Amino acid sequence: MTNRNKKECVAMLLAGGQGTRLGVLTRDVAKPAVPFGGKYRIIDFPLSNCVNSGIDTVGVLTQYQPFELNQYIGNGQPWDLDRLSGGVYVLPPYMRGKSGEWYKGTANAIYQNIMFIDRFDPEYVLILSGDHIYKMDYDEMLSAHKEKKADCTIAVIDVPIEQASRFGIMNTKEDGKIYEFEEKPKKPKSTNASMGIYIFNWKVLREYLIADEMDKESENDFGKNIIPNMLNDGKVLYAYQFSGYWKDVGTVSSLWESNMDLLNPESGINLNDVTWKIYARNSAEPPHFASQFADIRNSIVSEGANVSGKVVNSIISHSAYVGKDAEIYDSVVLPGAQVLDGAKIHHAIIAEGAVIEKNAIVGETQTAPVKGEWQIALVGPMARVKEGEKILPGQMVEEGK
C-alpha cells in the first residue's frame, strides 16, 4: 500500500529561540516573529525559500513565546503552504500525559517530532533556522547532496578569517568533503562557516537522533553532538558553498545592519526580485501617505505609514507615524510606532507601538561600529520616550520604564 502523504524532502524549521541578545524586541515574541524590512518578519525568509525551492511540507518548531508566531503563520496561505497534502505545521514541544517536555536542544527538537516526519516517509530532511535573512534555493543544495551520495550536506558561507571563531567551522578537502567540524575555534583552519542549514538522509538521521537521546551526556545539539558523531563514524558529509547574501540577525546591531542593507543596492539583498519573492502575511493597508511637509530620501516607507517629517536612509514600517519637523536618520521604525512632531531619531530601532513624544532625541549619528557592534538606541514595544527626553546610543528603553 503506497503512502499518499509521501514526500521526497520535508523541511523542519527551528523557530523556538528566545533571542535574548535582541533585548526588549523578543520580550513577548519569538525571534523569528520580529518585524523586518517594513512589512516582513524574519521567518518569512526561510518559509519563502522553501516554497520557491519546491518544498511544500514544513514543520515549524516553536517554543518560546509562540502565540504571535502561531497566529502569524496560521494556515500558511500567504506562502502557498495551505495544502491538503503537506503544508505548514506548527509543532510545539510534545505533550506526554499531563506534562510537556521543553526542547532540550536542536537535535532533541527534531527527535520529539520523529513521528511527524515519519508520516511523510521522506528520503531527505532539511533542517533550517528561523533567524537568518537570506534567499537560497534549497533544491540546488539537495541536488548537490544527491550527486555526492552524502549522508549529510551542510551549507557553508565564506567569512573573513577574523570573524571565523564566532562560527561553527567546517574543515574540508578540495572536493568539499568534510573531515572535521570545529565549534567556534580559537584558531580556525578555514573560513567555511556553518549556516545552520543541513540536509540529511532521513533514515541515517533518525538512527542518530535516537542514539543521541539515549546518551545522557549529550547536549542534544546538531553542531556539538550529531555532526561530530557522524564524522567519527565515517559517514559521508559534504559542505555546500553558498555565495549570496546571508545575515544572522541575532543582535540588535546585526538586525539594524540587515535592515540598512535593504537600502544599499550593493549589499546583495533585493526584496523586489520577482523571480524569488519573499512572501508575508500583511493586513490590508491603504497606500502610505506623505504630506506636503515630508522629505523622504533613500528610504522604504511601507503601506499605511503616515509621514510629515524628514526621513533619510531609514525604514518606516506599515501603519507607523512620523510627525511634522520630526527627523529620522539611519533608523528602523517598526509597525504602529509613532514619532511625534520635532522628535530626532539617529541610529535607532523604534519597536512596535512605541511612542516618541515631541522634541525627544533618540540615539546619535555614528560613523563606524565599536568592536564590530553599532551602538543602536532601542525603544521597546509599547514604550514611551517623554517629551524632550534624550536616549543615548546603545540605550534600551522598556515599556513602563
Side-chain angles (χ1 to χ4, degrees):
M1 188 171 147
T2 57
N3 180 356
R4 286 183 302 170
N5 288 324
K6 184 170 176 60
K7 299 287 179 181
E8 182 187 31
C9 184
V10 168
M12 299 295 278
L13 177 51
L14 297 161
Q18 187 171 346
T20 51
R21 292 179 301 162
L22 288 177
V24 290
L25 288 176
T26 50
R27 186 187 59 198
D28 298 321
V29 299
K31 184 160 53 167
V34 169
F36 179 83
K39 59 180 180 179
Y40 303 93
R41 295 187 188 235
I42 295 169
I43 199 168
D44 290 331
F45 289 81
L47 284 177
S48 299
N49 287 341
C50 283
V51 172
N52 291 332
S53 302
I55 295 170
D56 65 6
T57 305
V58 185
V60 180
L61 284 68
T62 62
Q63 180 157 286
Y64 171 79
Q65 294 284 17
F67 175 73
E68 194 162 339
L69 196 58
N70 294 358
Q71 192 179 36
Y72 183 72
I73 293 169
N75 67 354
Q77 182 266 329
W79 305 272
D80 193 26
L81 287 169
D82 52 337
R83 312 243 173 158
L84 289 174
S85 172
V88 66
Y89 299 81
V90 175
L91 304 168
Y94 191 57
M95 300 299 288
R96 291 184 180 81
K98 291 181 181 173
S99 67
E101 186 179 316
W102 285 85
Y103 294 142
K104 292 180 286 188
T106 51
N108 174 258
I110 305 299
Y111 170 83
Q112 285 198 38
N113 289 286
I114 282 177
M115 285 173 64
F116 168 79
I117 298 171
D118 279 344
R119 189 198 311 180
F120 299 101
D121 189 25
E123 296 286 320
Y124 310 102
V125 171
L126 169 67
I127 311 289
L128 301 170
S129 176
D131 50 8
H132 299 145
I133 302 297
Y134 67 112
K135 295 178 177 184
M136 181 176 181
D137 190 339
Y138 303 136
D139 191 48
E140 287 184 4
M141 182 176 171
L142 182 58
S143 295
H145 177 83
K146 293 177 191 172
E147 192 182 308
K148 302 279 192 184
K149 296 184 168 55
D151 295 304
C152 170
T153 299
I154 299 169
V156 298
I157 191 162
D158 193 35
V159 296
I161 189 73
E162 58 273 15
Q163 292 180 22
S165 56
R166 290 168 35 198
F167 296 91
I169 296 294
M170 301 291 159
N171 297 322
T172 63
K173 297 178 180 172
E174 279 186 23
D175 64 351
K177 190 172 185 182
I178 299 166
Y179 66 85
E180 185 182 34
F181 171 67
E182 294 184 290
E183 183 69 63
K184 299 182 179 174
K186 284 194 172 68
K187 293 185 177 175
K189 297 174 194 166
S190 87
T191 54
N192 285 329
S194 170
M195 297 167 66
I197 299 168
Y198 315 111
I199 292 177
F200 291 94
N201 294 349
W202 173 232
K203 284 182 180 152
V204 175
L205 176 59
R206 199 179 187 282
E207 287 176 15
Y208 275 87
L209 290 173
I210 292 167
D212 181 69
E213 192 63 24
M214 305 293 284
D215 179 3
K216 298 301 174 207
E217 302 296 310
S218 176
E219 293 180 57
N220 307 119
D221 185 82
F222 278 103
K224 293 174 184 169
N225 306 107
I226 301 289
I227 290 162
N229 289 345
M230 290 180 76
L231 282 171
N232 290 341
D233 292 346
K235 294 293 182 188
V236 179
L237 283 78
Y238 273 90
Y240 174 78
Q241 200 77 42
F242 177 72
S243 57
Y245 180 94
W246 179 83
K247 192 97 168 172
D248 180 344
V249 287
T251 65
V252 173
S253 174
S254 61
L255 179 65
W256 174 86
E257 272 188 294
S258 198
N259 273 281
M260 292 298 105
D261 284 343
L262 298 177
L263 304 171
N264 176 8
E266 305 296 308
S267 70
I269 180 80
N270 173 15
L271 298 188
N272 298 318
D273 180 3
V274 293
T275 65
W276 199 271
K277 283 188 73 173
I278 301 299
Y279 302 94
R281 180 183 295 284
N282 287 313
S283 56
E285 299 275 358
H288 70 259
F289 173 76
S291 82
Q292 68 191 64
F293 306 107
D295 179 2
I296 301 169
R297 305 177 196 176
N298 191 44
S299 296
I300 292 171
V301 179
S302 297
E303 295 90 333
N306 186 323
V307 178
S308 290
K310 186 173 187 178
V311 176
V312 180
N313 203 54
S314 294
I315 293 177
I316 310 299
S317 302
H318 69 81
S319 63
Y321 173 82
V322 180
K324 189 180 170 191
D325 296 325
E327 293 181 8
I328 300 176
Y329 291 85
D330 306 296
S331 295
V332 184
V333 179
L334 296 185
Q338 297 179 56
V339 179
L340 301 185
D341 297 2
K344 307 283 187 282
I345 314 287
H346 291 266
H347 283 77
I349 296 176
I350 312 299
E352 291 175 279
V355 178
I356 313 301
E357 292 188 3
K358 291 180 179 180
N359 302 315
I361 297 172
V362 179
E364 287 175 8
T365 299
Q366 292 172 50
T367 53
V370 179
K371 294 182 180 175
E373 294 282 309
W374 293 90
Q375 303 306 297
I376 302 304
L378 173 59
V379 179
M382 312 309 291
R384 185 175 281 269
V385 176
K386 294 187 173 63
E387 187 168 343
E389 190 178 354
K390 183 169 184 182
I391 304 302
L392 299 173
Q395 191 176 339
M396 190 156 56
V397 181
E398 287 188 66
E399 184 185 7
K401 294 289 173 70

